[in-house]
């Protein structure tokens, strides 16, 4: 049976290494010492290969911010009440959150999507309302969601990836979702779940004891059933995590780079890569989060983050900082003169 | 006798730590987990303290790019001919270099200043012509410049720092100037000059042998006479390096943050800090260069760079990438809602 998900997975192709070679040859003609723009050159070369042109574009960028709630919040794993998810969505819609400020200053569009928030959202103008359910179930007691809901979350993300942008970013909000991301990390990597649990939004020591205990119980309960990434998402995930994985897949299918934010976004990106390894070619990790589970997830993606600013806010804030770097990489690649055109002597 | 230099040095004051405390208190009210914006919070707090307001601005940014030639080029320390300095200045004026592309995409103004280029510059529209001499003397044979020229270079930078900007950036172009920066690094830190010599624009092994030999001879010749930063600049520096140090001093005197680019810019910033330690409070290192001498210079500045993108181009390209990060830090600090104004519950 063809579904949006299976059709999307079937369309994803690895990037063509000949485009990387063409871009590298172009870089050598530009008026700078060979390789002197460092990682900017790698980013530009990949953008060229993703878009299959020596004139890649990064002007129109959209960050899709998915919000959803998590049943595991009931285990006391987080210092904030669950109602903060809905309160912060209202804050995004009024433009008062960190991601609003960072997206504005970077000239990046922001789309806010309710993928499954538990509480009423006070203000809804500008919200894309696509809640799959009013939060997931508590994965310490059973699967977080049904297999059908997991597919629905992925397909929501695939749909949202059709944003008419040169560059997609992903971000999230969901009280307790670092616990879900840590569980996914443990499931995908085989690492002890307690070793990949960090303080998230600021868990104190008592909170961390409960978080580690919840993770250990969840992995004991679900471990024998985790036969693939779809089951990992259904049993341990969140709706926003599934949707972000969907953006990664949809972006890859449509040859668009996807800028991955921090720990939770990278858990989503890692699920996407496990569903379709070629999707990794389209992913650009934005920044290194302070969460301990982030590094092993980045190994699954296979790319290093561009930035390390000791951030741990989520929302797509890291993506909003990385997008100007990617635009700069593309601007240098497409806007610089060549040694020949500028009549500059080359190195001997 | 009061000169522009002595008057500027006398005006520089350390930032007031009470402004840092006020900014920190404000950060805790904003709708994000405490500390979750990481180094962006530190940057915003310092911008508040520099400008002495909880509404700091970073909109108008200017990068001042100084070009000058170096007598030590005659020692064969660089793979490019000396004429490339003038050729690249023409490239800046036509908008074809890396810094042009990066400044454009970041909406940063660029000023190009001839501080002492040896060759004729083919095209001069837009150039600020302030050459102190047609290049320095070869410091393997004597001082690079006279003490009066060193003061003139510093005062050129102080004048150029009056750019009407919220944020100043410094950049440079000068064939062989990594050799001068390495000599300054050795003089300021006491490190062996050959240990701080890197490949610069791409020196091959034969070039590196000559570069290390030139550095060893220069430090042997001048070492006994290096009694202070002014003598280090005069004997081992370049006109663009002195001018960039002047921007650091002028920025600090006028309470403006100065974004320091890479290795050569940081050599200039380190000279400024040795001339006036309080100037360090106003400096924001943009990025970590791949040059081996950069790290010991950063220790003199006392601040970590914001970015590490394995770049080694100079021109102010690192500053052009860091300025959007600083603007983002300021935008979050000044543009975010508070827990109270947004009616978001705080952590328990």
């Amino acid at each position: 049976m063809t579904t949006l998900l299976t059709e999307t997975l079937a369309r994803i192709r690895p990037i063509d290494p000949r485009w990387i070679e063409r871009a590298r040859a172009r870089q050598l003609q530009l008026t700078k010492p060979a390789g002197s723009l460092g990682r900017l050159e790698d980013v530009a070369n990949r953008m060229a290969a993703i878009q299959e042109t020596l004139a890649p574009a990064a002007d129109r960028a959209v960050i899709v911010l998915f919000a959803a709630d998590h049943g595991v919040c009931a285990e006391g794993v987080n210092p904030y009440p669950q109602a903060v998810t809905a309160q912060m969505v209202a804050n995004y819609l009024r433009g008062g959150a960190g991601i609003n400020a960072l997206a504005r200053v970077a000239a990046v569009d922001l789309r806010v999507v309710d993928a499954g928030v538990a509480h009423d959202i006070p203000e809804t103008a500008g919200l894309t309302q696509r809640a799959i359910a009013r939060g997931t179930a508590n994965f310490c007691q059973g699967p977080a969601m049904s297999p059908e809901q997991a597919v629905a979350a992925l397909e929501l993300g695939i749909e949202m990836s059709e944003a008419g942008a040169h560059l997609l970013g992903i971000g999230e909000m969901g009280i307790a979702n670092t616990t879900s991301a840590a569980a996914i990390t443990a499931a995908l990597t085989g690492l002890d779940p307690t070793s990949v649990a960090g303080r998230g939004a600021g868990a104190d020591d008592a909170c961390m004891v409960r978080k580690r205990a919840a993770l250990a119980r969840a992995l004991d309960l679900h471990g024998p059933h985790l036969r693939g990434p779809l089951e990992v998402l259904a049993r341990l995930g969140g709706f926003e995590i599934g949707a972000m994985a969907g953006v990664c897949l949809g972006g890859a299918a449509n040859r668009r780079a996807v800028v991955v934010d921090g720990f939770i976004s990278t858990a989503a990106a890692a699920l996407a890569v496990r569903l379709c390894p070629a999707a990794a070619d389209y992913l650009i990790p934005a920044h290194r989060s302070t969460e301990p589970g982030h590094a092993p997830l980045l190994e699954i993606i296979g790319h290093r983050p561009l930035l390390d600013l000791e951030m741990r806010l989520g929302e797509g804030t890291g993506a909003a900082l990385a997008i100007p770097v990617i635009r700069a990489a593309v601007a240098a690649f497409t806007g610089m003169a060549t040694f020949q055109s500028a009549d500059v002597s080359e190195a001997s």
Side-chain angles (χ1 to χ4, degrees), chain A:
Chain A
M1 188 185 72
T2 301
T3 64
L4 178 60
L5 176 59
T6 57
E7 181 268 338
T8 302
L9 290 169
R11 282 201 294 127
I12 298 171
R13 297 273 175 277
I15 58 173
D16 183 342
R18 289 172 299 182
W19 276 104
I20 298 285
E21 288 312 312
R22 283 177 201 134
R24 279 191 187 138
R26 172 78 186 168
Q27 293 279 9
L28 291 175
Q29 298 172 354
L30 304 176
T31 49
K32 56 182 169 55
S36 61
L37 278 177
R39 297 193 62 199
L40 292 197
E41 298 192 17
D42 298 333
V43 166
N45 297 351
R46 198 136 67 91
M47 289 292 287
I50 287 172
Q51 297 183 16
E52 299 198 330
T53 170
L54 291 180
D59 309 327
R60 292 197 308 277
V62 173
I63 291 175
V64 192
L65 193 177
F66 297 95
D69 274 306
H70 290 258
V72 72
C73 186
E75 302 291 331
V77 294
N78 189 287
Y80 289 89
Q82 190 175 55
V84 166
T85 304
Q87 291 167 358
M88 284 303 293
V89 171
N91 197 18
Y92 303 138
L93 298 173
R94 285 192 301 264
I99 185 59
N100 300 103
L102 268 53
R104 267 194 301 270
V105 78
V108 172
D109 286 338
L110 182 67
R111 298 212 184 157
V112 183
V113 182
D114 176 0
V117 178
H119 293 73
D120 286 334
I121 295 168
E123 192 177 324
T124 53
L127 180 67
T128 300
Q129 179 50 265
R130 294 289 302 270
I132 290 162
R134 288 263 185 173
T136 52
N138 181 350
F139 60 56
C140 288
Q141 298 170 358
M145 64 183 88
S146 69
E148 292 75 21
Q149 287 177 323
V151 171
L154 289 163
E155 294 191 334
L156 167 58
I158 293 169
E159 284 180 55
M160 294 305 300
S161 76
E162 303 276 356
H166 298 122
L167 206 50
L168 293 160
I170 53 175
E172 45 56 48
M173 173 68 204
I175 293 300
N177 67 1
T178 59
T179 304
S180 173
I184 291 168
T185 305
L188 294 181
T189 63
L191 290 167
D192 187 308
T194 61
S195 77
V196 293
R199 291 187 183 268
D204 62 15
D205 289 347
C207 221
M208 285 302 290
V209 169
R210 294 190 293 270
K211 186 171 183 171
R212 291 199 192 94
L215 284 166
R217 281 165 57 206
L219 271 291
D220 279 350
L221 176 64
H222 299 291
H225 310 287
L226 301 173
R227 278 175 298 264
L230 261 176
E231 266 156 322
V232 173
L233 173 59
R235 287 180 170 269
L236 301 170
F239 299 127
E240 84 284 35
I241 294 174
M244 289 191 292
V247 173
C248 295
L249 297 172
N254 292 323
R255 311 194 75 79
R256 287 289 170 263
V258 179
V259 186
V260 180
D261 189 31
F263 175 47
I264 300 147
S265 303
T266 308
L271 285 169
V273 169
R274 286 289 167 88
L275 281 163
C276 180
D281 286 358
Y282 299 84
L283 303 179
I284 302 178
H287 80 113
R288 192 174 290 283
S289 160
T290 58
E291 283 287 304
H294 197 209
L297 290 174
L298 287 166
E299 285 181 31
I300 294 174
I301 311 298
H303 300 291
R304 286 182 297 159
L306 289 171
L307 305 172
D308 183 357
L309 293 163
E310 299 170 11
M311 288 164 53
R312 51 181 173 82
L313 176 52
E315 300 181 347
T317 48
L321 290 166
I323 286 169
V325 176
I326 297 165
R327 283 178 174 151
V330 167
F333 183 68
T334 60
M336 284 179 70
T338 63
F339 283 102
Q340 193 170 19
S341 74
D343 204 15
V344 173
S345 308
E346 296 195 51
S348 57

